Amino acid sequence: MLTVDDVQVSYGGAVQALRGVSIEVPDGAVVAVLGSNGAGKTTLLRAISGTLRRQHGRIDAGRVRLDDRDIGGADPAAIVRLGVVHVPEGRRIFGRLTVDENLRAGGLGNKNRAAKAAARERVHDLFPVLEERRTQRGALLSGGEQQMLAIGRALMAAPKVLLLDEPSLGLAPKVIGQIGEVITEINRQGTSVLLIEQNATMALQVADRAYVLDVGKVSLDGEAAALARTDEVRHLYLGGA
Ligand code: ATP
């Protein structure tokens, strides 16, 4: 289980982006975090994956734990090795490398050959288009395919927990639906998922539980289906009346 316990984060010693956030991602679960721009969603993922420091951010208080191990502030590569892999917003694939090279880059820390071969097979089963396009440069893929490549690259590290930052961003509704189905399948295969989304419709469909972040604090949490029925979530995030 991944546990974030009363975590506070600031950037540059000034901007307080998280003001005491606690969330849990039980093994085998899909957990969604919703919230508007600037609520702190990306910051939460950075605090978990150890990538805050690159942004001049730091954890001021609280703990991040994977099972019983304290991973708060640890080195990002060590966190990947422990099985927590972050797919950042905006995909950040290597545009000048081929699809295959992108996938290989994701498997670099995975030293076990058999595990790597199994991970690649899993990625090709989930995303047949990546096998078809293996020699094409990343930059030539469509937005949806690039998102699939970013997720596929993360899966090459054989994660226990996948952290997804707004995978639906900028994609057509049909493609968002496909991404949602893939998340469900990845989870069914045994990987826990922490899904950050502004697209609450997709997120609440695939998630078991969800949290709403509001200016650096959790304002609501509960079972995803129940949250989708609350007035706050319907008005603010589902466009409902
Ligand atoms: P978005 O969907 O727009 O990415 P978000 O919910 O992911 O929003 P964060 O990006 O985590 O929110 O931002 C939370 C707060 O931290 C905001 O006030 C933002 O301006 C600030 N912030 C984020 N990154 C940095 C940074 N690198 N340096 C300084 N402040 C930052």
Side-chain angles (χ1 to χ4, degrees):
M1 167 136 105
L2 176 70
T3 315
V4 173
D5 186 11
D6 208 11
V7 161
Q8 299 182 27
V9 169
S10 61
Y11 288 103
V15 184
Q16 225 200 343
L18 297 184
R19 300 184 296 142
V21 169
S22 298
I23 66 162
E24 287 183 350
V25 184
D27 290 344
V30 179
V31 173
V33 175
L34 312 176
S36 47
N37 277 336
K41 305 182 298 299
T42 296
T43 300
L44 174 64
L45 291 196
R46 288 178 184 150
I48 297 168
S49 62
T51 52
L52 265 180
R53 224 170 312 158
R54 293 177 193 159
Q55 307 288 331
H56 307 291
R58 55 172 250 199
I59 297 177
D60 295 319
R63 297 216 300 163
V64 181
R65 274 177 297 145
L66 182 65
D67 302 322
D68 291 331
R69 193 190 288 248
D70 200 332
I71 61 168
D75 174 54
I79 293 175
V80 169
R81 280 195 297 275
L82 289 171
V84 180
V85 181
H86 184 171
V87 181
E89 183 178 328
R91 0 247 202 244
R92 312 256 186 84
I93 58 152
F94 304 117
R96 295 202 290 190
L97 300 189
T98 65
V99 166
D100 213 40
E101 287 164 342
N102 269 276
L103 291 179
R104 264 189 274 151
L108 282 179
N110 184 352
K111 298 294 178 207
N112 180 320
R113 271 188 162 204
K116 220 189 294 204
R120 179 180 294 266
E121 198 175 316
R122 178 188 189 193
V123 169
H124 284 159
D125 282 349
L126 282 165
F127 306 111
V129 68
L130 296 183
E131 190 166 18
E132 286 159 26
R133 309 217 161 179
R134 56 194 299 169
T135 59
Q136 237 176 53
R137 284 185 182 198
L140 296 177
L141 302 182
S142 70
E145 289 162 352
Q146 289 188 1
Q147 184 61 62
M148 292 172 193
L149 179 55
I151 296 174
R153 187 177 59 183
L155 292 177
M156 290 296 292
K160 280 190 223 157
V161 187
L162 194 60
L163 311 175
L164 297 176
D165 196 346
E166 302 228 17
S168 76
L169 197 71
L171 302 181
K174 182 169 162 237
V175 184
I176 295 175
Q178 290 169 353
I179 298 284
E181 284 168 22
V182 156
I183 293 170
T184 301
E185 178 59 20
I186 288 170
N187 175 250
R188 202 190 56 77
Q189 295 172 350
T191 308
S192 323
V193 179
L194 178 58
L195 170 65
I196 301 300
E197 266 296 346
Q198 288 199 37
N199 185 323
T201 310
M202 184 270 265
L204 293 175
Q205 269 166 11
V206 304
D208 305 303
R209 293 185 62 79
Y211 295 81
V212 176
L213 261 191
D214 185 23
V215 214
K217 270 190 163 308
V218 172
S219 61
L220 270 179
D221 74 277
E223 196 202 327
L227 269 193
R229 289 191 296 269
T230 62
D231 283 344
E232 179 175 350
V233 169
R234 283 171 52 215
H235 287 302
L236 291 176
Y237 304 105
L238 296 172

